[in-house]
Amino acid sequence: MNFIAALGRFVLEICAEIGRLCVFIKDSVWHCFAPPVYPRLIFDQMVRIGYNSLPVVGLTAFFTGGVLALQIYIGGTRFNAESLVSSIVALGITRELGPVLAGLMVAGRVSAAIAAELGTMRVTEQIDALATLSTNPFKYLVAPRVIAAVLCLPLLVVVADTIGIMGGYIVGTKSLGFNSTVYIKNTVDFLEFDDIFSGLVKSAVFGFIIAVMGCYHGYNSRGGAQGVGRATTNAVVSASILILSANYVLTSLLFSS
Amino acid sequence: MSEDLHIKMRDVRKAFGAKHVLNGINLDVPRGQSVVIIGGSGSGKSVMLKCILGILRADSGSIQVNGREVIGQSTSDQSEMLQHFGMLFQGAALFDSLTVWENVSFGLIQGKNMPRGEAKDIAMAKLAQVGLGSEVGELSPAELSGGMQKRVGLARAIAADPDVIFFDEPTTGLDPIMADVINDLIVKCVKDLGATAVSITHDMASARKIADKIAMIYKGEIIWEGDAIEVDASGNAHVDQFIHGRADGPIEMDVLKP
Ligand SMILES: Nc1ncnc2c1ncn2[C@@H]1O[C@H](COP(=O)(O)OP(=O)(O)OP(=O)(O)O)[C@@H](O)[C@H]1O
Ligand SMILES: [Mg+2]
């Protein structure tokens, strides 16, 4: 009986958590659209979420593009299909690796930072203080972060796509001996607008996940420094898992349409 | 009943899990008066203030502010009500991403859409009232001492000239002279602005100075309330023990006696 009771408690706990999360998401989205908006706060967050993530995202994309070129070359030689390297690098980066890796890197950086910041504000009563100063915490803290992340992630992915393809190009021409003009021509001819666009759509969703997970865990953290630490870990883990599962769902949706 | 009550609490209860913190609080706060809450550490004073503000949701009972029920009110009603409140948190709760003057003027800029320049002048004036110079205004809260943070929190609480001000231990961590300056400031807020004040304090000198009424909370209930001058002749053993700070008496502290 004890085991069943424990199982029941666990299931109820999960349902309650999902319910809380849904209400939180509803409130966040509502406050992103309902006035007043705080352009200055959104701008600040865009700098912190977008601009400051550029080095991490750029480096990740560069090495991924490079390693992709190497691996596809190795695979390609087995079928005498080395000439496909440039096209497959471009396709892989724009459709999949650019958005997903940028999303995961930013999740590590930004979800953690948001959760730690809001969590500290929660345990030091700063969020309560906001309410007593006639300011809605959703409006002031959550909405700017969500808006900034949804706007910034696609921009970051454009950068990641460019640098990733460039990484493939550098490895392809410098160490695999491809002709530079041919490599570029193959890339440009082969890529379609849809490839890039689908990646951008996905990344906007990833941005939403990153900001909401950071805010949710930070906003609901309790129990001092340890609680903030737990919130930070939970934010990164849940954002990463949600990004990967949303990626599958979105890809299959975009694939079928 | 003729008295004009600003805040009226009836049988308010609040528990965290199995821990019952408020066990049926009854408290009347008349308009324009200063009520001081005394009581041992951990007896639920801060929780009581947060229940009135709606930051914590009381489990049952009734809390009326200006005759309107607080428990279960909508978020928009709550924020409308809080426009008339000022709160000094026990831990100051300053926003560490903003400078000191931005903290003080936060309610004016965000809540009342005042232009920044005008709000800054008011902030500097309020800082001066709590004994902090204009150079402090440009610092960040992390660069201040505990007592200075407390005073900034106080300046922030009174910046928007609220109708009701809650002070959670306003003089804790201050030297005796500054504590008296703060006491005078609280009295001035009540007398000059006509504000209603509810203060929590452990400092009996401060309580005597600022209180019109004193209420004592013990184990989540108000066990005594009366006019400030009656506190010495309360006839209540708990109150006597508390105001004289004696270790032996009806209030038992959970400490192991050697
Ligand atoms: N968020 C919370 N979760 C669980 N328990 C809490 C919470 N806040 C307060 N408590 C408990 O409620 C009790 C009363 O807390 P409260 O902060 O009101 O004390 P207090 O009277 O203000 O004491 P002090 O004078 O030390 O500030 C404490 O025992 C505390 O453990
Ligand atoms: Mg307290």
Side-chain angles (χ1 to χ4, degrees):
Chain A
M1 269 340 258
N2 240 343
F3 169 73
I4 296 177
L7 188 71
R9 250 197 311 279
F10 180 70
V11 171
L12 284 180
E13 191 50 45
I14 294 211
C15 292
E17 183 78 19
I18 292 174
R20 273 196 293 272
L21 181 60
C22 289
V23 173
F24 189 90
I25 291 176
K26 185 207 84 188
D27 286 347
S28 314
V29 173
W30 164 251
H31 284 287
C32 285
F33 292 106
V37 285
Y38 296 113
R40 226 182 60 134
L41 294 179
I42 296 175
F43 179 78
D44 284 353
Q45 291 302 325
M46 286 183 76
V47 170
R48 288 165 66 180
I49 296 174
Y51 182 74
N52 292 348
S53 297
L54 277 174
V56 182
V57 169
L59 280 174
T60 314
F62 181 80
F63 288 114
T64 310
V67 88
L68 204 57
L70 284 179
Q71 296 281 30
I72 291 166
Y73 182 78
I74 293 167
T77 44
R78 294 184 194 157
F79 307 100
N80 289 327
E82 303 94 321
S83 59
L84 282 179
V85 167
S86 62
S87 337
I88 296 184
V89 166
L91 201 69
I93 291 283
T94 54
R95 289 196 78 101
E96 194 59 42
L97 291 172
V100 171
L101 287 179
L104 290 177
M105 296 310 285
V106 177
R109 244 195 106 245
V110 171
S111 284
I114 293 179
E117 189 180 3
L118 265 62
T120 308
M121 292 186 75
R122 164 61 74 199
V123 300
T124 57
E125 299 182 321
Q126 291 178 49
I127 292 185
D128 295 335
L130 272 182
T132 66
L133 294 165
S134 327
T135 306
N136 188 318
F138 273 89
K139 194 114 268 168
Y140 187 77
L141 295 173
V142 178
R145 285 169 173 76
V146 172
I147 295 173
V150 171
L151 294 179
C152 279
L153 255 275
L155 296 178
L156 280 174
V157 167
V158 169
V159 175
D161 287 354
T162 316
I163 295 181
I165 290 174
M166 211 175 71
Y169 166 81
I170 289 175
V171 170
T173 51
K174 294 279 179 290
S175 85
L176 301 176
F178 282 100
N179 177 297
S180 155
T181 358
V182 176
Y183 192 99
I184 293 176
K185 186 174 181 309
N186 277 346
T187 306
V188 174
D189 284 354
F190 188 76
L191 261 191
E192 286 174 16
F193 174 73
D194 229 35
D195 300 329
I196 299 170
F197 184 73
S198 70
L200 297 187
V201 171
K202 285 202 278 188
S203 64
V205 176
F206 298 165
F208 182 78
I209 292 174
I210 289 168
V212 166
M213 281 299 123
C215 290
Y216 175 74
H217 289 285
Y219 193 86
N220 292 312
S221 75
R222 54 197 76 247
Q226 204 182 15
V228 175
R230 207 174 322 120
T232 312
T233 317
N234 288 344
V236 176
V237 172
S238 59
S240 307
I241 292 175
L242 279 178
I243 284 177
L244 292 174
S245 43
N247 180 47
Y248 179 77
V249 174
L250 287 170
T251 308
S252 53
L253 281 179
L254 292 164
F255 193 67
S256 61
S257 66
Chain B
M1 208 182 79
S2 60
E3 213 176 16
D4 178 15
L5 292 184
H6 205 152
I7 301 170
K8 181 171 156 188
M9 302 178 77
R10 287 293 174 268
D11 198 32
V12 174
R13 289 167 192 275
K14 172 76 190 169
F16 294 101
K19 187 179 171 82
H20 294 271
V21 178
L22 303 182
N23 294 311
I25 295 266
N26 294 303
L27 182 70
D28 292 338
V29 181
R31 189 177 308 280
Q33 292 205 9
S34 168
V35 174
V36 166
I37 313 284
I38 56 175
S41 182
S43 54
K45 305 181 295 296
S46 300
V47 169
M48 187 184 95
L49 288 194
K50 287 180 193 166
C51 284
I52 302 175
L53 293 170
I55 292 171
L56 289 174
R57 199 191 166 112
D59 299 331
S60 64
S62 151
I63 302 174
Q64 289 184 358
V65 175
N66 283 324
R68 285 177 66 178
E69 182 60 46
V70 171
I71 300 177
Q73 71 181 346
S74 70
T75 324
S76 58
D77 284 349
Q78 186 201 3
S79 55
E80 212 263 320
M81 176 191 97
L82 288 177
Q83 300 227 326
H84 307 285
F85 274 70
M87 166 86 184
L88 165 66
F89 285 85
Q90 191 167 0
L94 302 178
F95 306 126
D96 35 30
S97 56
L98 302 176
T99 63
V100 165
W101 80 261
E102 286 173 321
N103 263 283
V104 176
S105 59
F106 193 91
L108 299 170
I109 296 175
Q110 299 295 341
K112 305 205 162 150
N113 292 319
M114 190 181 277
R116 283 173 72 83
E118 197 182 326
K120 184 168 184 176
D121 293 340
I122 296 181
M124 291 304 187
K126 297 288 175 186
L127 283 172
Q129 285 189 7
V130 295
L132 296 170
S134 54
E135 71 284 354
V136 176
E138 305 293 344
L139 298 177
S140 96
E143 295 171 283
L144 305 181
S145 74
M148 289 162 92
Q149 291 183 1
K150 200 80 190 225
R151 286 187 274 159
V152 175
L154 193 79
R156 186 176 69 180
I158 61 173
D161 294 334
D163 301 337
V164 194
I165 321 176
F166 288 174
F167 301 103
D168 198 340
E169 307 198 3
T171 54
T172 312
L174 301 182
D175 62 85
I177 302 170
M178 188 45 77
D180 206 45
V181 172
I182 298 302
N183 289 337
D184 286 338
L185 181 66
I186 295 174
V187 172
K188 184 166 161 284
C189 285
V190 176
K191 294 280 175 311
D192 295 1
L193 306 175
T196 305
V198 179
S199 321
I200 293 173
T201 186
H202 296 297
D203 172 1
M204 282 315 294
S206 164
R208 284 171 211 278
K209 184 151 189 179
I210 62 182
D212 295 318
K213 276 181 67 179
I214 292 181
M216 170 139 179
I217 184 170
Y218 179 63
K219 289 195 172 163
E221 279 180 78
I222 302 285
I223 54 161
W224 183 83
E225 69 179 298
D227 289 340
I229 33 176
E230 296 168 8
V231 74
D232 289 307
S234 65
N236 184 312
H238 291 81
V239 176
D240 279 343
Q241 186 192 349
F242 190 87
I243 62 177
H244 296 114
R246 286 192 292 257
D248 48 323
I251 304 175
E252 286 179 18
M253 293 286 168
D254 299 329
V255 285
L256 279 179
K257 300 257 164 58

